[in-house]
Amino acid sequence: MDWQIVSRPRNGWVFQTGCFAPGFTRNDQGTACPCLLPPLAVKSKPPAVRVVVDSQISFLQTNQLKIGDIRVEQNQNSLIETYIAEHTDAVSPLLQDLLKETETITGRSRWSIGKVEGRLMQFLLRASGARSAVEIGTFTGFSALMIAEALPEDGLLITCEFSSDYAEIARRYFKKSPHGRKIRLELKPALETLKEISDNSVDFVFIDADKPSYGLYFDEALRILRPGGLVFVDNVFWRNKIFKKPISNQNAKAIAAFNRKVKNTDGIDKVMLSVRDGIYLIRKR
């Protein structure tokens, strides 16, 4: 990681790559450190993290630290996410209630895709003219209802869930929604449901289930998708643990392997987006 000190105008010291020494000294030139490099010695590569001296405010992606006069604040991501959310259409009161109940019962509302990702999914569904969709991983039904809202009146979503507890919550909310009639929930292992779907028959597939099986779900998604169909894959950053070297988390290892698989797959168009926990969008040619 590259660190930069932003101090008084007459001073422009920057950290060497990866340096964060605690032994700062102060003099009439501002804050200094034995391992700091003068500005002219620094390569033109922009720093990844901007640090502020003398109580100025910076926008960062790290936890707040206080060392000497340096204050690092974790607010860039939260500011950006808040701004994006404020400029994205709200979800229905029913979906807001579902998220609240999901948190109350499971403590895992974060597993739901949320407003911004859901609205992005709806945007793609409507723009592509999708009429049929498959969801791998229902959880409590938030994403299923988002998908169903974007399907036409005669559209169909097949959603796969293995947990009867999660499925019970989802079914209650499907009954409350005018779009619930478009949804068919299959309570069994997702691969069993996928094997029952014909080749080239589906317009859209959403993958958000057990991470070690992502590769298998992807293979089935390509089989059942019609040419031009879309795959929307969630959690391809896995809580940013895929960026840690070496990767120790087992789900992160599975996601990293899946990302490599998609990258090396022919016959598809693909783009990865840094929305929430990372999204991989794939189009079957």
Side-chain angles (χ1 to χ4, degrees), residues 21-94:
F24 300 112
T25 61
R26 285 189 58 85
N27 55 38
D28 59 359
Q29 296 301 311
T31 301
C33 172
C35 59
L36 297 179
L37 296 176
L40 295 179
V42 180
K43 295 181 180 179
S44 59
K45 178 182 177 182
V49 179
R50 188 166 180 254
V51 183
V52 168
V53 177
D54 296 332
S55 300
Q56 298 179 56
I57 297 176
S58 67
F59 304 107
L60 307 162
Q61 299 180 24
T62 64
N63 292 326
Q64 181 169 322
L65 301 173
K66 289 185 178 179
I67 302 180
D69 293 327
I70 299 177
R71 182 174 65 195
V72 180
E73 296 183 6
Q74 183 190 17
N75 57 4
Q76 181 178 32
N77 283 349
S78 61
L79 282 174
I80 292 172
E81 289 175 3
T82 298
Y83 187 85
I84 291 171
E86 289 174 349
H87 292 78
T88 299
D89 290 339
V91 299
S92 68
L94 179 66

Side-chain angles (χ1 to χ4, degrees), residues 145 148-151 153 174 177-183:
L145 285 170
E149 283 183 11
L151 293 176
E153 289 301 312
F174 294 167
S177 170
H179 303 283
R181 58 186 174 75
K182 306 175 191 175
I183 303 172

